[in-house]
Structures are given as C-alpha cells and as structure tokens.
Amino acid sequence: MAQVTLDNVNKVYDNGYHAVHDLDLDVQDGEFLVLVGPSGCGKSTALRMVAGLESISDGKLTIGDRVMNDVHPKDRDIAFVFQNYALYPHMTVRDNIGFALKLRKTPKAEITTRVEEAARLLELTELLDIKPGQLSGGQRQRVAMGRAIVRRPQVFLMDEPLSNLDAKLRVQMRAEISRLQHDLGVTTLYVTHDQIEAMTMGDRVAVMSKGQLQQVDTPQNLYDRPDNLYVATFIGSPQMNLLMGTLALDGTPHLTVGRHRLDIPPSVVAARPALRGYDGRELVVGIRPESLEDAGLDSDPGGVRSIEAIVELREGLGSEVVAHARFEGTAPRVEAAQRDPDATLTGEAGVELVARLDPRTTVKVDEAARFTVDVENLHLFDQETTLAIRD
Amino acid sequence: MTTLDNAPVTGGAVIGPSMEPVGQRTHRILSRVPTGVLWLIVVLWTVPSFGLLVTSLRSEADQISGGWWQAFTDPSFTLENYDKALFSPPGGTLPFSDSFINSFAIAIPGTIIPIAIACAAAYAFAWMDFRGRHWLFIGVLAMMAVPVQMSLVPLQQLYSGGAHLTLGGSTFILIPDMDLNNKPIAVWLAHTAFGLPLAIYLLHNYIAGLPRDVFEAARIDGANHFGIFWRIVLPLAKPAIAAFAIFQFLWVWNDYLISLIFLSQNRDASPLTIQLVNLVTSRGQGTELLPAAAFISMVVPLIIFFSLQRYFVRGLLAGSVKG
C-alpha cells in the first residue's frame, strides 16, 4: 500500500503539445481517486505518466517514499487496467492472470493458488482454461481486473476500464470494482470521462480540463461547492443553469436576473465575505436544476425569490419532471466562450433553464410558469475569472 | 422458373420460362467468363506437369517411341526410372536420394536463419526506439532492389579471400579469409542475406500492427524487450512467420543459381537442382531419368503447398488488414 504524489508534473510532447500543466495531485494510501474530464484533457496522459508508459517532462512523481520519475514500469509495483483490456490473445485466462507472476519467477504452486484465488474473487473459475477470444466483454474486463489484483500491487491504475461495456454491465462492474477496491484497500487512480462513474466510485474526484487540474474534492463537495464555472457545469446532470445577474447589497441583499428580483438571505452573504466587492456588479449566477421548483408547490410569499419562464419541454420521469423553460435573461458570455470559443451567445434572447420538479407539478408546455429558486443554494461566480465567489 | 408460369401477364408481353430479358442473359453469360478463363489457365498449366508425371513412369524405349499421350492407348508403366534416379544414376551424378537430403540440409537452415534474424529485426524496427531507426529501416527495404546476380561475384571473392584494405604500405584485414566456398554455410549465408529484406519487411508490417496496449500491459507485468519478443510477439506473429517460412523454403529449395555459384564444386553437398542439370549433360545418357528426377525434386514443394495452402492466403493478407 502506498500514497501517490504528483508534484508539479508536466507533460510536453516532442511536437510541442503541452498535455499536462503543473499537475499537483495526492492520492492517499488506500484511497480511490477518480480523474475525470472530457477527452483530450490530459487525464490519461497523467495516468500513463504514473504508470511509466509516458516519460515525465517536468516535476516529481513519488509512490510510497520513492521518486519514480525514471523507474521502469515493472519496478513501480503498480497494475494497470487498460480500456481495451489488452489481454494476451494467445494465452488462456489462467496464463493471462499469472503472466506477471511467472515473469517474476514466482514458484509454480504459488502462481496456481494466487491465480485461482483471484479467479474466485472475480467469478472466473470456470473460464480459466479458455482464451480471451471466446470471452464476452464483461468477462474480458474481469480477466483484466484479475491480472491487476493477482500481483497485489501498491497501486491500481485504471484507464476507462468500463467504457467498452454496455450500460447495464457498466453499472454492475462499477459496483464490483468499488467493492473490490474497498476489500483490497489498494490505492487506486481511476480515469474516466463519465462524471457519473466519477461521482459514484471515487472517494475523491479530480476534475481536469485542457491539461489543468480544476478541483479535487469529495464528490459531494464538488457538487455543492464547485471552485469554478468549469467544475460547476461539468459535475451534475442535467447541468447547472447559468445566467447573468446584478448584485445589490444595500437594504435587503438581492440579485436582479432579467426582470426578476431574488432576495438573498443574509446567511448566504455572510458565508461569502468576498461578495462585498461585487456590490452593484454583474456576476454569474448558477442554479442547480433541483434548486428550481414549481411555485405552485413551494410557497413564496411576496414573490421575492421566484422567476417566470415559458416551458418549452416537459419530460416526465416518474419520480420527477424535468422541465426546460426559456427565461428572459442573459446567458453568461464567459461560460459560452469556455465551451466553444466561436460561440456568440450575446444576442440570444433568453436562457434555457432546466428544472427538476416534483411529479405533482402542473406546468404545461408553451405556458408561462413560476419557479421558486432555492436561494440558500445559489452558486455565484466572477464573470472574468470564472472562479467561485467565496472568501 | 416454373413460378413464372403463374405470374400475371402484364403489358401484353408474355414472359415464358425460356425467355428472360436480353440484358439478364448477357449478364449471366458474361459472369461465367472469368471462371471459364480460370479453368482454361488451370488446364494449360496442369497438362505439362501431368505429361511429365506420365513420362516419368514410362520406360526408356516407350519414351523414345512417342509422346506421353500414347500412354492412354498403350498403357505400360514402370518405376524403373525412379529407382535409377534415386539410387544409381549414370555418370558422375550424385544419387538423388543423397541430393534430396542435401536439399533439405540447405533449405532448412536457409529458412530458419533468416527468419530468426528477421523476427528480431522486425520487432526492433516496430517497437524499439533508437536513433536512426527510420532511415535504417528504409535502408533495409532498399536492399530489396539489389539484384542477386550483381552481388554474386563480390560475395564469392569475400568467401574465398576475405576483405582487405591497403592504405599507404600497410594492409588491414577487414574480414578474414574464411574459405567458405563450396561449403553449405556459403549457401546458407547467401540465402539469409538475400531473403532478409523481404522477411523484415513482411514481419515488420505484421508486428507493427499488433495492438500497443498488449505491449504496454506486458511491460507493466514485468517483461523486458526480450520477454515481450519471446512470449508475446513470436506467438502472435505465427501466421506471418509461417507464410514467410513457406515462401523462403520453396525459394531456397528451388534455387539453382546460388548453389551453382557457391556449391557446385562440392558434389557430395550439392542439392537436387544441381544434380538435375548434371543428369542431362552427361553425354546424353540418363535423359530418360529426367522426368522422374524432376518429379522427385517437386515432391516437397507440392506437399508443402497443399498441406499449408491456408497460410499462403491468410499469411500474406495478414498485416494489411487488421483482424
């Protein structure tokens, strides 16, 4: 067991492409840390640098107490699970799992016991003597896991191990990998582009974008307290709603969004000392879909914390109703620019809001509806720096 | 066709069972042309071989009196020619039973040595990072353009005299005189050298197409380059190795030129192809043995071809299309 530390790690490819910028990351002993981000964000590169499959251009990597920058992959005491499993097609499942032990000159009897133990753990016992070509995707995935656990390494490194499975199997394997990791207590660094995987599996989640680490925290904290607009929109589905608002702190603190006024409880202001500097200025207001509720079901005396919007689409999911509504407000330019540099949302009339409503809601398509806003759980961001406004 | 009889008559045209649209009929006839041409080629190429087989089974007198097709009207066959060719050929010819073994003694090392070298080279070119890899690989491929005939004389000089460089008054020995001429190793080395570029090229294409993940997994599992080569690459490259082995073996087995240059002075070590030629030139004697002798030399290629034909097709396509 060991702790993995990346200290200011950089990766610059020979062609000058800077894939990973100053990455600082700490995976605690026994922790399951998920590295999540869109494709091309450098997460796989970071993982491969930990594995030793890519050289580290700058910075320091330690596993346990040992600096690993120039250590050969086989001497790092790690196991890697590949996206395509990378099984040896000409070997039986037994030989695939036992290959690493065989190369380490482990006695035959011990290889047999350890392979069979791993197979039992993964329910592969009946498949031990067939070749990977005859296995289903899920079974191959298990063999890949078996190959990792049989080594009893200090660290598991997993590169999108579930992305080639169908949806149902993915949910099942997600739970299985989490359980296995928990039982074995091996430090794990897990890469995925799927934020649901990240949220459900990780003890902590590190969000990356364009080679930069955005935020590392527990899944709940990432969701509740995103550090910047990127994390705010990346984590959570449906996405957080973003709109421009103007802050006024004199009298009752309130935000003006579109034609509406949202009163902010003093506790919200008190929790964010930095908000003082934004009096009278525009900022980006983030509202989670579940922070919007049908005003008919959530009383709002005085109407000081509700907005009106035209419902465009109503999706009943049984447990809830997801409503898409057009709101007369301004979408933040900065957010649009972050997603797509060529986007010009300035002239667009209104913002599309997504709300997760109670199933008893009476909102109808093409009609105006009032939504109350859970003002306790607003997210506020600086429109220039895209950082959350806190302290 | 009978169902057409019950088809509704449309537009006044009656389409009977024997009447199909002209376009369809033309298409049907034309689509058979390639098959017909193929059969014609098969017959044209098989008849002489078949004639050779029949002739080899006829006595000397029968062979002189008429062509092999007379065997259809006057069938009389004998194995005498085979017996003579194998065990007591006229003149100074080495018995074919011996030269048959010599051919194996040349073809087997002449196949294994280049493949062993080419596998390692192909792996290195495909998966090892070293300076100048690209240009070295191009250099190897360029060797394919060198005609065998051009290098025969220099090679023979190298074998019999080594290589020396005289600068000022002193001579440096670059390669010592190893006196290899007329020894089997001379032929092995020549076949190795001439077979290598193609072998490296074919195996490189195949090995470079193996999935990178598997190599990375093996590295993490603890394999070094040799371990990856031995335990992963060789087993996975089997189809390509088999395909090239068949080609190289047949090429060496059927080779005449290289054996003639480097080995013909050594009667006891010379292969079938050399002895086949010697059979005719010995004052016209033994001509009747020629068909039988030719067939003896063809037996091995035929067996190899028919038993391993699936590798011919699969192995050469392998690498070009990823499975």
Side-chain angles (χ1 to χ4, degrees), chain A residues 48 74 80 84 86 88 90 104, chain B residues 216-218 220-222 231 235:
Chain A
R48 291 168 59 84
K74 71 176 185 329
F80 200 102
N84 302 316
Y88 310 120
H90 58 294
R104 282 172 169 69
Chain B
E216 291 179 339
I220 290 177
D221 272 348
R231 294 176 192 275

Side-chain angles (χ1 to χ4, degrees), chain A residues 71 106 303 329:
Chain A
V71 176
T106 314

